[in-house]
Amino acid sequence: MGKLGKKARKFAKKNLPSVLRDRRKKKALFKKRYSSKNVQINVEDQAKVIDHSNERNTEVEAFEDLPLEAPFMENDCDGVVDSSDSDGYLSEDISYENGTESEPEKLLEGDKCTSELMMQNIKIQENLAVQKRKLERLKRKDPSFSKFLEKHKDIEAMQNGVVFSDEDEMSNHGRDSATEDNQGKAKGRVLTVSAISSWCRLIKEEHKEEAFVCLLNAYRAACHYGAESIGLRFQNAETFCSLVMSVLSEADNILRGLLGLSSFSYKKEAVLELKDTPQWVNVKPLIKSYLRSTLSLLDQVTDSEILAFALTRLRDSLPFFDAFPYLLQRLIKTTIHLWATGGGMLSSSSFSILLDVASLFTTDWFDNCLAKAFVAYLAQSRATDIVNNKHLQFLRNSLVDLCSLDVQKSLSKATVSVRQLAKVLQWGLRTKKKEALQRICSWEYANCINLWVGFIARNVRDYDLQAFFFTMVQLINGVVRLFPGPRYFPLRLNCIQWLNDLSNSTGVFIPIASFVLDVLEYKTVGERGKPGPVLFFQSVLKLPKSCLKSQTFQDECITSAIEQLSSHFLQWSYHISFPDLATVPLIRLKKFNESKTKESQCRVVKHLIEQVEKNVDSVQKKRNEVAFSPNDHQSVETFLQFEKSSLSSPFTQYCRSVLDKAALRGSHKNEKISVPIRDKSKRKRDDSSINVFGHKDVDTVNGSKKRVKRRAPKA
C-alpha cells in the first residue's frame, strides 16, 4: 500500500475511530486535572459579579428608603422612664370650708394627719413588696411549694390584695355608699380667692410649709383641670387665674428659700450639693409636684401669652430638673413642639429653655436636644406646600445657635447628614427617577442644605471647617446642574444664594456668574406675556408650566438675577482681580441687553452694566499703579483695603441699594405664599374665540376642545 497523500492523512487524523478515541482520553485526562480549579475560579468570578451588581442595586434602593433625619434618629429617643407611681398630690385630701379666714388652719391640721397616714401606707406597701418577692423566690426554688399554692389559691388571692368571703355583698354595698359620699363631698369642694390669698399670706409672713403644700395641691388640680376628674371646683375664672399666676410667680423663690439657695443662683452644682441633706429630702416632693404640674399646664393651655409666661418662669427652675431626668425629658419634648409650631414670643421662650438645657446639663442632653430639634425642623419643612419663610428662617437660625454650642460634635452629625444628602443627589443623577427628583426638589432637602450653610457661615472663621465647606459647595453645584429647566429657576436661585453666603463667610471665590446668567438669558416666547400670579422665588422651588410665559415670571427672573449678581460683584468689587472676573459677565450682559426691547428690563440691566464698567476702570487704574507681582499674596490681600473699609465707592452704594430693595420687596410679600396653581375651571369671556389660556378659536364647552371653523361673511 502506498503512502497516503496530504489530504488523506488530514482526513484520517480527523475522522478515524482510533484517533478520535485517543483524543477523548486526552480530553478526559485534562478535565480531571484542571476541572476543580477552573470551577472554583468561575464560581468566584460569578460571585464577584453578583456581589457588585447587588451592591449597586442595594445602594440605589437605600437612597429611597433612608430619611434625611436618619443620622439624628439614634439620639431622638425617650429612654428615661418615670419610676414613680405617685399621682402628683402631696396629700390625699384637702378639707376646708369656703368664706372664713380660719379655713387654712383647718386645712393644715388635716394635712398633718393625712401625711402621717401616707407614711404608714408607704411602709405597709414596702413590707408587702418584700413578702411578695420572698414568695416568688420560694416558688422558683421549691416546686412543691408552687403546687401547694395552686391547691390553696386563697393565699395567693390574699397576696394580691383580694379576699373573698360570704360578706362580699355587704362590703361592696358599703363601699358604694362610701364612694357616693366622697363624690358628694368632692363636688361640694369650692376653692375661693380668699383661701388662696390666705395661703400666700401664711407662706410669705409665717413661712408655713404646710400652706405651701395646700397651694401646690390646688395648683396641680388647676393644671389638670378638664384633663382628669379632680375633687375640686373653682368659684370662678378669677380664682383659677389667681391660683396659677401666684404659683408661677412665687414657687421658684419659695423653693429656693426652703433650700437656702440664692434667688440669683443658676448653677446645677448648687442643687447637686444639697441632694444628701435633710433639707433636700423634705423639699424634693414639693419641687417635683411643682415641675410636674407646670409641665401638665404646658400640655393643656393653648393661649400663647400664658405659655410664654409659664416657660419664662420655668426657665428659672431649670437646675431643679437635674434631679428628675424623666421630667427633663418631658420638658425637652414639650419645648421642642412649642418652638417648632408656635411663633413670636412663644417660640423664642421655648428656644431659650432649649439653649439653657443644652449648655447647663451633660453632653447627652445636648445630643438629645439637637436630635429632636433637627427632626422637628425637617418635619416643619415637609408639613405643607405653603411655606412660612419668616418662621422657617427663625427655626434655621435657632438651630444654628444650638449647633454652635458644641461645634465639634455638631460637625460630626452635619458630616453624616451631608453624606446622606450627597447619596440622594447621586441617586438622582444616576437614575433620573421621578421619586429621586421630587425628593431633591423639596423643602425638606433645601432647608437641610440651608441649615448647614448657615452653620458654616457662623463658625468657619473660628473652627476648621474647610473640608465640610468644599463638600457643601460640590453638593450645591450638583443640585444646580441636576435641574437646568426654567421650572426649577427658584431652586436654582436658592442654590446661588447659598453659594453667595458661603463665599461671603469664607472669603473663597466661587464662580456663580454663569449660573445667574443662564437664568437671565432664558428666552421666552414673547416679551409681552400675559400677567400672571404674584411670584416670589424665595417661597417656591418649582413653578407650574402655566407661569413660564407670564410677564411676572420674566420680570422676577431678571430682578432675581440682578440681585444675585450684585451680591456676587459686591464681595469682589475691591479685589485686584475684579476686572478679569467681570469680563465674561459684561459680555453676556451686553448681548442680553441688545436682544431686549422692553424699556423697563433694558433700563435695569443697562444700569448694572454701567456701574460694573465704572468699577472695573477704577480697579484697573489702581492695579496699574502697583509694583508687586501676583505671587505676592500678602500685598494682593491688602489691595484697596482702606477703600473697602470706608464703603464709599459708587458701586458699593449701588449694590447695597439693590440688596436693600430686595429685602424690602421680600418683606412686602406675604409670609405665606403658595405655589400658583392653574385654574382648571372653564370660564367664558365676552369673546368666545379666546379662552382663559389665551388660545384662540377653541371651544371649551363640556370640557372638550374643538377647533371652531369661521364662516366667511356673506356678500
Side-chain angles (χ1 to χ4, degrees):
M1 186 176 178
K3 189 177 180 181
L4 296 173
K6 184 177 180 181
K7 291 184 178 180
R9 290 196 306 270
K10 190 173 181 180
F11 177 82
K13 187 176 180 181
K14 286 185 176 180
N15 299 293
L16 285 179
S18 61
V19 176
L20 294 175
R21 186 169 54 250
D22 293 339
R23 190 179 296 171
R24 283 194 298 268
K25 287 182 180 179
K26 291 180 180 179
K27 191 174 181 180
L29 179 64
F30 284 114
K31 274 187 177 181
K32 290 179 182 178
R33 186 178 298 175
Y34 298 108
S35 62
S36 61
K37 185 176 180 181
N38 290 334
V39 168
Q40 290 177 359
I41 292 173
N42 292 333
V43 170
E44 289 178 359
D45 292 340
Q46 291 177 1
K48 287 181 180 179
V49 172
I50 293 172
D51 290 340
H52 286 304
S53 63
N54 288 338
E55 285 179 3
R56 289 193 294 268
N57 292 334
T58 54
E59 187 179 6
V60 173
E61 291 175 358
F63 300 147
E64 188 175 1
D65 296 332
L66 201 60
L68 295 181
E69 62 267 22
F72 294 84
M73 295 299 289
E74 57 184 11
N75 298 114
D76 183 22
C77 59
D78 301 332
V80 185
V81 181
D82 190 11
S83 59
S84 175
D85 295 331
S86 173
D87 60 353
Y89 279 109
L90 298 174
S91 60
E92 295 181 354
D93 191 13
I94 300 179
S95 58
Y96 59 88
E97 302 293 335
N98 54 344
T100 61
E101 292 190 1
S102 61
E103 55 190 19
E105 302 295 337
K106 296 179 182 179
L107 286 171
L108 297 181
E109 292 176 1
D111 287 336
K112 290 179 181 179
C113 298
T114 52
S115 61
E116 293 177 359
L117 292 174
M118 287 180 62
M119 296 301 294
Q120 293 177 4
N121 290 335
I122 291 171
K123 291 180 180 179
I124 293 171
Q125 290 175 3
E126 290 177 354
N127 294 332
L128 288 175
V130 171
Q131 296 297 330
K132 188 174 181 179
R133 286 195 294 269
K134 287 182 180 180
L135 287 175
E136 294 292 338
R137 200 179 303 118
L138 284 173
K139 283 183 182 181
R140 291 193 298 269
K141 289 183 178 180
D142 191 358
S144 60
F145 180 70
S146 61
K147 294 180 181 179
F148 174 78
L149 287 178
E150 290 179 1
K151 293 180 181 179
H152 301 79
K153 293 184 178 180
D154 294 342
I155 299 176
E156 190 173 1
M158 289 177 64
Q159 176 188 349
N160 294 328
V162 180
V163 181
F164 296 97
S165 65
D166 296 335
E167 300 178 355
D168 281 342
E169 296 180 0
M170 296 295 295
S171 61
N172 290 334
H173 178 71
R175 287 195 205 101
D176 294 339
S177 60
T179 52
E180 288 177 1
D181 293 339
N182 291 334
Q183 289 176 359
K185 291 180 180 178
K187 291 180 180 179
R189 294 175 180 176
V190 179
L191 183 64
T192 61
V193 177
S194 60
I196 297 173
S197 59
S198 299
W199 286 334
C200 295
R201 179 179 55 79
L202 290 173
I203 294 169
K204 291 181 179 179
E205 297 178 359
E206 303 180 15
H207 305 287
K208 286 289 185 70
E209 185 176 345
E210 293 82 359
F212 187 50
V213 170
C214 298
L215 191 65
L216 288 179
N217 282 333
Y219 177 65
R220 185 206 178 278
C223 293
H224 291 79
Y225 190 78
E228 62 183 44
S229 59
I230 56 175
L232 189 66
R233 291 190 298 117
F234 298 94
Q235 188 178 22
N236 47 34
E238 183 184 356
T239 306
F240 182 90
C241 295
S242 175
L243 174 62
V244 173
M245 296 301 291
S246 299
V247 176
L248 287 176
S249 302
E250 302 296 336
D252 183 72
N253 295 330
I254 295 171
L255 292 172
R256 289 177 180 272
L258 293 174
L259 291 173
L261 294 175
S262 172
S263 59
F264 300 101
S265 178
Y266 201 68
K267 296 182 179 180
K268 65 172 184 175
E269 288 77 8
V271 177
L272 294 176
E273 293 174 357
L274 295 172
K275 276 192 173 182
D276 298 330
T277 61
Q279 291 178 328
W280 175 257
V281 175
N282 296 329
V283 181
K284 181 180 178 180
L286 307 180
I287 297 175
K288 186 175 183 180
S289 176
Y290 166 66
L291 298 181
R292 286 180 63 174
S293 300
T294 307
L295 290 176
S296 300
L297 179 69
L298 295 178
D299 294 334
Q300 297 296 324
V301 177
T302 57
D303 186 77
S304 58
E305 294 183 1
I306 297 177
L307 287 171
F309 178 74
L311 289 171
T312 304
R313 297 305 304 160
L314 201 59
R315 186 184 178 190
D316 297 335
S317 304
L318 269 184
F320 295 136
F321 278 94
D322 187 67
F324 311 101
Y326 170 71
L327 296 181
L328 183 57
Q329 186 73 52
R330 278 186 61 188
L331 176 66
I332 294 173
K333 186 176 181 180
T334 303
T335 50
I336 286 288
H337 173 72
L338 295 176
W339 165 70
T341 60
M345 191 63 185
L346 178 58
S347 294
S348 301
S349 302
S350 303
F351 186 70
S352 299
I353 289 184
L354 288 178
L355 277 181
D356 292 339
V357 170
S359 58
L360 190 63
F361 298 100
T362 59
T363 55
D364 293 337
W365 292 111
F366 170 78
D367 295 339
N368 198 344
C369 292
L370 181 60
K372 288 184 179 297
F374 184 79
V375 172
Y377 173 68
L378 290 187
Q380 280 299 112
S381 300
R382 76 173 78 96
T384 177
D385 290 336
I386 299 176
V387 179
N388 190 339
N389 274 328
K390 186 176 181 180
H391 184 60
L392 276 177
Q393 191 68 19
F394 168 77
L395 296 182
R396 177 250 194 186
N397 295 335
S398 303
L399 200 49
V400 169
D401 293 338
L402 185 62
C403 293
S404 302
L405 293 178
D406 192 341
V407 175
Q408 296 301 328
K409 184 166 287 191
S410 301
L411 179 61
S412 62
K413 295 288 186 182
T415 304
V416 179
S417 176
V418 172
R419 193 178 296 130
Q420 178 63 23
L421 294 174
K423 287 181 180 179
V424 176
L425 178 62
Q426 187 180 11
W427 175 39
L429 290 170
R430 181 183 299 172
T431 63
K432 300 294 178 66
K433 288 185 177 180
K434 182 179 179 181
E435 296 82 2
L437 299 180
Q438 286 179 348
R439 191 167 179 185
I440 297 171
C441 186
S442 64
W443 280 112
E444 181 184 6
Y445 195 93
N447 284 326
C448 196
I449 296 177
N450 191 18
L451 171 66
W452 300 127
V453 168
F455 174 71
I456 294 173
R458 178 73 61 85
N459 301 288
V460 69
R461 298 191 182 275
D462 300 326
Y463 298 90
D464 184 15
L465 303 178
Q466 293 299 320
F468 187 54
F469 160 72
F470 287 115
T471 304
M472 285 297 301
V473 173
Q474 292 176 355
L475 177 68
I476 297 172
N477 283 331
V479 175
V480 173
R481 292 187 172 89
L482 182 61
F483 299 101
R487 294 185 66 186
Y488 298 96
F489 277 175
L491 177 61
R492 190 183 187 93
L493 288 166
N494 275 297
C495 292
I496 294 169
Q497 180 63 51
W498 297 331
L499 292 175
N500 262 332
D501 294 341
L502 290 174
S503 181
N504 285 325
S505 60
T506 58
V508 177
F509 174 74
I510 302 176
I512 65 169
S514 61
F515 297 152
V516 182
L517 292 170
D518 289 342
V519 176
L520 189 66
E521 294 172 350
Y522 170 71
K523 293 182 179 180
T524 56
V525 177
E527 292 190 7
R528 294 185 178 181
K530 60 182 179 181
V534 178
L535 296 176
F536 186 49
F537 284 173
Q538 296 297 327
S539 299
V540 293
L541 295 178
K542 182 181 177 181
L543 296 170
K545 291 182 180 180
S546 59
C547 293
L548 301 184
K549 297 180 181 180
S550 64
Q551 185 63 46
T552 308
F553 171 73
Q554 299 175 28
D555 295 341
E556 188 69 23
C557 285
I558 294 175
T559 304
S560 301
I562 295 297
E563 291 168 1
Q564 296 300 331
L565 278 177
S566 300
S567 177
H568 178 62
F569 287 149
L570 177 62
Q571 182 187 357
W572 305 103
S573 59
Y574 295 97
H575 199 269
I576 197 171
S577 63
F578 183 78
D580 308 315
L581 180 151
T583 301
V584 175
L586 279 175
I587 294 173
R588 295 180 65 176
L589 284 172
K590 290 179 181 178
K591 185 177 179 180
F592 170 79
N593 193 39
E594 292 173 357
S595 64
K596 291 293 179 181
T597 58
K598 191 176 180 180
E599 180 63 27
S600 60
Q601 297 176 354
C602 293
R603 183 173 62 253
V604 176
V605 178
K606 186 177 180 181
H607 193 194
L608 175 63
I609 294 172
E610 292 174 353
Q611 294 295 329
V612 173
E613 286 179 341
K614 290 180 181 178
N615 196 69
V616 166
D617 295 338
S618 175
V619 175
Q620 187 68 46
K621 290 180 182 179
K622 296 288 184 180
R623 191 168 71 174
N624 294 335
E625 297 174 358
V626 300
F628 55 84
S629 68
N631 294 328
D632 190 357
H633 298 288
Q634 185 176 2
S635 300
V636 169
E637 293 296 329
T638 57
F639 179 74
L640 295 181
Q641 284 298 313
F642 178 75
E643 290 82 354
K644 185 176 182 179
S645 60
S646 63
L647 301 177
S648 59
S649 68
F651 185 70
T652 302
Q653 295 177 0
Y654 163 75
C655 291
R656 289 196 174 277
S657 66
V658 171
L659 297 180
D660 291 340
K661 289 179 182 178
L664 186 62
R665 185 169 63 95
S667 63
H668 283 174
K669 300 282 185 179
N670 293 328
E671 290 184 1
K672 296 183 179 180
I673 302 179
S674 60
V675 178
I677 301 174
R678 185 176 61 186
D679 187 8
K680 295 183 180 180
S681 61
K682 309 302 181 182
R683 294 172 296 180
K684 294 182 179 180
R685 299 179 60 180
D686 295 337
D687 186 359
S688 60
S689 65
I690 302 176
N691 67 355
V692 293
F693 302 110
H695 302 153
K696 293 186 178 181
D697 299 333
V698 175
D699 185 13
T700 58
V701 178
N702 297 325
S704 62
K705 296 183 179 180
K706 299 179 181 179
R707 184 64 58 181
V708 179
K709 296 182 179 179
R710 295 181 179 272
R711 295 182 178 180
K714 295 182 179 180

